[in-house]
Amino acid sequence: MRYGGGHSARLRRRLLAATALLAIAAVGAAVALPLLRDRSQRRLERRADREVTATALRTRAALLATPSAREGTLRDTAGALDGVEVLTVEAGAAGVRLVFRVRVAKTAASVFGWQRATAAGCFAQVVNPAAAPAALERLPCPS
């Protein structure tokens, strides 16, 4: 008679070890996958926010390219850019002040399927042909 078991005891130990490894892998995946999905979503949201700022800067450049233009022309120039909505145009002593909203929607494929992020920002730009260009001002968006 053999002591310490035989083939069946070794097989049981191997099955127990494999089961333990699978359980550890399942728990690790259950914890890690939501964290990775959230991280991927936050990264996409940051990219959308950076694109909002970049679009606002392109709008500013387009507005300052023709500083002597009238209010309607400046409204059309800003409105022609993708994702830009002109909210108000006011003429005053400092020049023409445009308030506009930029909206960006980003979609990306990831390991977790399609992810979507939207970002919006409101900005104001004063255009005056007689003075140095004013800085782009970020404003809270109206509801």
Side-chain angles (χ1 to χ4, degrees), residues 1 15 17 25 39 42 49-50 70 80 85 87 112-113 128 130:
M1 184 167 180
L15 285 174
R39 183 174 180 212
R42 282 193 309 269
D49 192 48
R50 282 194 306 265
R70 298 214 180 266
E85 172 191 3
L87 300 176
F112 311 104
N128 188 351

Side-chain angles (χ1 to χ4, degrees), residues 7 12 22 34 39 58 69 85 94 129:
H7 292 288
R12 266 186 269 129
L22 284 174
R39 183 174 180 212
R58 280 195 303 275
E85 172 191 3

Side-chain angles (χ1 to χ4, degrees), residues 41-58 102-107 116-123 136 138-139 141:
Q41 181 66 32
R42 282 193 309 269
R43 191 176 323 130
L44 185 62
E45 289 168 358
R46 282 192 307 267
R47 282 184 19 212
D49 192 48
R50 282 194 306 265
E51 192 165 326
V52 164
T53 303
T55 302
L57 290 174
R58 280 195 303 275
V102 178
R103 291 185 181 161
V104 172
K106 299 286 281 181
T107 305
R116 181 175 175 85
T118 57
C122 291
F123 301 88
L136 184 65
R138 190 161 191 154
L139 305 171
C141 287

Side-chain angles (χ1 to χ4, degrees), residues 29-93:
V31 169
L33 287 178
L35 294 175
L36 291 174
R37 181 177 45 246
D38 290 344
R39 183 174 180 212
S40 177
Q41 181 66 32
R42 282 193 309 269
R43 191 176 323 130
L44 185 62
E45 289 168 358
R46 282 192 307 267
R47 282 184 19 212
D49 192 48
R50 282 194 306 265
E51 192 165 326
V52 164
T53 303
T55 302
L57 290 174
R58 280 195 303 275
T59 305
R60 177 183 191 269
L63 291 172
L64 295 178
T66 56
S68 60
R70 298 214 180 266
E71 297 147 23
T73 307
L74 292 173
R75 175 187 289 274
D76 293 341
T77 300
L81 292 163
D82 193 31
V84 176
E85 172 191 3
V86 178
L87 300 176
T88 61
V89 179
E90 302 165 349

